[in-house]
Amino acid sequence: MPNAKRWVEPDPRRENWFWPTEELKARAWAADEKVYEESWADPIRFWEERAKEISWFKRWDKAYHDEPLAYKWFVGGKLNLSYNSLDRHVEAGKGDKVALIWEPEPPNEPNRVFTYKELLAEVSRLANALKELGVKKGDRVGIYLPMIPEAVIAMQAVVRIGAVHSVVFSAFSPESLRDRMVDCGAKVLITADGYYRRGKAITLKQNADKGVEGTKVERVIVVRRAGLDVPMDPSRDVWYHEIVPKQSPECPPEEMDAEDLAFILYTSGTTGKPKGVMHTTGGYAVQVYTTCKWNFNLHEDDIFWCTADVGWITGHSYINYGPLMNGVTTVVYEGAPDTPDYGRMWAVIQKHKVTAYYTAPTAIRMHVKWGEEWPAKYDLSSLRVLGTVGEPINEEAWLWYFKHIGGGRCPIIDTWWQTETGANCVQALPGIGPFIPTVAGRPFPGIRAKILDAGGQPVQPGEGGYLVLEPPFPPSLLRGLWGDPEKFKATYFSEYGPGYYFTRDGARMDEMGNIRITGRVDDVMNVAGHRLATAEVEDALSQHEAVSEVAVVSRPDEVKGEVPVAFVLLKAGYTASEELKKELVKTVDKHIGPTARPAEIYFVDDVPKTRSGKIMRRVLKSLVRGAPPGDITTLRNPECVEQLKSIVGSGG
Ligand code: PRX
């Protein structure tokens, strides 16, 4: 790698520990350990300092309002997320800088590139179109779009006029879309005709049509991406290219209160019904801006590429708002990592000289399988920082990423956070380190975290426990669950009371304060970086007429991290068959989407139950891991365990 700078060096005393070089420290936003102690001693002051770096129409009166279940940040402050992402750079004379590069999947199709000025104009036009369709401050707008520039433009346009977006992953089924649109009461949906995936044009509009049936959605804006012939309902649907270009490129940003709702994003909880995580404007802006800047060490010349989908929180915060608020260039890639070949991601890094690359462990494990000869063909010397997110990263994947993508020169920032936290919360800072495989790092400055035992006592260094966050809570922590204050309290603030936010993750901490995340402690799975509740898959399967009862548990998977495995009891009159398995998979596709497909379906006569009739998923979880079932003395039907063991052992 010609002239590539070295950003990290190995620790001579500890194997696989790495520290920033002087070169990296000099570029970093924080290079002195003192930032931790000082910020943890006074988080409010820390976040106030950071908040001064973004633009406010009116400064806040009070930085933090500490009230159980009603914490607030930057009270009385007025700002707009879109103004902070676009206008302020244009006003600072950076209008001609490239804001967004879109890489379509078909390799021969040209890139679409937007400067900050152009992006601002396009966002303003769409914002005006939304107004024309009757969208007002506080109204919900659904976004069901593939990875095209309009996905970012749509989010920006919605928050610009003070409306609230709710983005739904484009691979989710019509039914998933409908559930979300009904729950949030969206009035308008923005979607597309289709998109390219693995060389094929996939239709989306038909799914959108089914998804809005029976909802309050009155108007649908349709982006033409794939040139597909799709049905349009003239009383409801309007083409993006027919309504947007004719609008004025100017649209004054709405002055939002810091605590006004910015967006709702649905995520899996422990029940079958996804919950609408609510993020407000000010705290979200400040933490996303700051973590993106500090963790990825962003400067003027950075080209940031986050490979997540816009349908997830990672896409919201680190494709859209984070990089744009920082005034850098964000890369949006439409397609699959293996199209046209296994080198596509590395070709894109080389082509656009990407400096910061942010992806998921499941993706890295896929690349490990495909082989290091693929990245070896490309010049990756532009890279400075590598990030990972979404699940615990195993040592092999970490070291492979470090060596074959980062050339042994770049720090790996393993960022722990959640849809609920809105932005990164635990990681190693690039200018401080240490970078250690499988260890995320320390809480971000200004964020207080602890590891507690079940009784609420802090555990000793090295001991396992539960990760909690302490007040003052992170500025971008969720403010509620849409329409369900009880669930908000029950999910996050019941185990340890309102004084701790319970992350529902297991973790351990070393003497230095570095945190290793061990994974969820509830029935939430992480399937190829997609968050999914076992109960959601159970709900989907139980809608098939043949199913009388079903239990779903996760099983570790080499590439995907975890996969769902289903135990199905059939109703009388139905017999187990391969055909029926296929039908059940289709049922999951229909109700959730292909990401939730069970890797294995076992037809069984019984599942372990407690005396009160509750399914003991713990026992099934052990069985699919080939582990001893644990204590089964409290089961009503312990005899079924042996039978299940032989079924699982024989592969179904
Ligand atoms: O279990 C943790 C895992 O992902 C969960 C949150 O999932 P979601 O809301 O979909 O957000 C994913 C993107 C932020 C967490 O409760 N998780 C996330 N990041 C990490 C992680 N586990 C280990 N290490 C991480 N870096």
Side-chain angles (χ1 to χ4, degrees), residues 526-590:
N526 228 311
V527 182
H530 300 160
R531 178 166 158 179
L532 196 66
T534 52
E536 275 174 274
V537 186
E538 288 174 359
D539 274 11
L541 286 168
S542 58
Q543 295 189 44
H544 190 282
E545 55 182 14
V547 175
S548 100
E549 204 167 0
V550 56
V552 171
V553 294
S554 73
R555 185 182 73 192
D557 180 86
E558 213 181 292
V559 173
K560 293 183 172 178
E562 281 178 292
V563 288
V565 171
F567 292 83
V568 174
L569 277 72
L570 293 176
K571 284 187 190 148
Y574 290 91
T575 36
S577 68
E578 282 308 308
E579 215 35 56
L580 186 54
K581 271 192 194 173
K582 281 190 199 133
E583 271 185 42
L584 290 175
V585 167
K586 269 199 213 139
T587 305
V588 173
D589 281 3
K590 176 167 173 264

Side-chain angles (χ1 to χ4, degrees), residues 313-314 389-392 414-419 505 517 520 526 531:
I313 191 69
T314 311
V389 57
E391 52 184 314
D414 176 356
T415 59
W416 174 89
W417 57 299
Q418 308 173 305
T419 306
D505 270 312
I517 308 292
R520 298 287 298 200
N526 228 311
R531 178 166 158 179

Side-chain angles (χ1 to χ4, degrees), residues 192-196 201-203 223-230 239 241:
D193 59 345
Y195 55 96
Y196 285 94
I202 313 273
T203 49
V223 179
R224 179 174 274 161
R225 153 61 188 134
L228 297 170
D229 193 13
V230 294
W239 285 106
H241 60 261

Side-chain angles (χ1 to χ4, degrees), residues 466-479:
Y466 304 104
L467 181 65
V468 298
L469 304 176
E470 283 182 282
F473 290 123
S476 63
L477 191 66
L478 82 165
R479 300 297 196 264

Side-chain angles (χ1 to χ4, degrees), residues 298-515:
L298 295 186
H299 292 78
E300 272 295 286
D301 56 346
D302 273 288
I303 314 282
F304 188 85
W305 183 17
C306 165
T307 69
D309 192 280
V310 288
W312 311 114
I313 191 69
T314 311
H316 285 58
S317 303
Y318 298 98
I319 291 177
N320 178 17
Y321 296 116
L324 294 180
M325 279 194 281
N326 276 284
V328 303
T329 302
T330 188
V331 176
V332 177
Y333 172 51
E334 177 181 37
D338 55 358
T339 306
D341 59 35
Y342 295 151
R344 184 62 188 271
M345 304 312 259
W346 323 128
V348 172
I349 292 179
Q350 172 178 289
K351 179 174 177 189
H352 299 299
K353 299 195 165 48
V354 170
T355 57
Y357 181 68
Y358 193 20
T359 196
T362 182
I364 299 164
R365 289 192 295 264
M366 221 153 53
H367 289 294
V368 173
K369 274 200 151 173
W370 294 338
E372 64 221 42
E373 58 275 25
W374 289 98
K377 291 182 195 175
Y378 299 91
D379 176 6
L380 305 179
S381 60
S382 55
L383 289 170
R384 292 177 187 147
V385 182
L386 301 176
T388 95
V389 57
E391 52 184 314
I393 183 164
N394 51 311
E395 180 149 0
E396 185 201 359
W398 197 102
L399 290 171
W400 189 93
Y401 193 31
F402 180 71
K403 185 167 169 202
H404 297 292
I405 307 307
R409 307 172 297 108
C410 304
I412 292 186
I413 312 299
D414 176 356
T415 59
W416 174 89
W417 57 299
Q418 308 173 305
T419 306
E420 291 87 340
T421 70
N424 301 163
C425 285
V426 177
Q427 70 293 290
L429 286 173
I432 298 181
F435 315 109
I436 318 164
T438 78
V439 173
R442 283 176 277 184
F444 195 85
I447 294 179
R448 289 174 171 163
K450 258 197 192 136
I451 298 176
L452 303 181
D453 65 19
Q457 294 305 311
V459 301
Q460 294 300 311
E463 266 180 36
Y466 304 104
L467 181 65
V468 298
L469 304 176
E470 283 182 282
F473 290 123
S476 63
L477 191 66
L478 82 165
R479 300 297 196 264
L481 294 176
W482 181 256
D484 207 343
E486 275 312 308
K487 195 159 189 186
F488 174 58
K489 185 175 170 191
T491 311
Y492 311 106
F493 298 102
S494 64
E495 270 85 351
Y496 298 109
Y500 289 111
Y501 166 81
F502 180 40
T503 65
R504 314 183 73 85
D505 270 312
R508 64 187 78 225
M509 198 187 265
D510 69 12
E511 299 279 351
M512 194 181 158
N514 295 304
I515 296 173

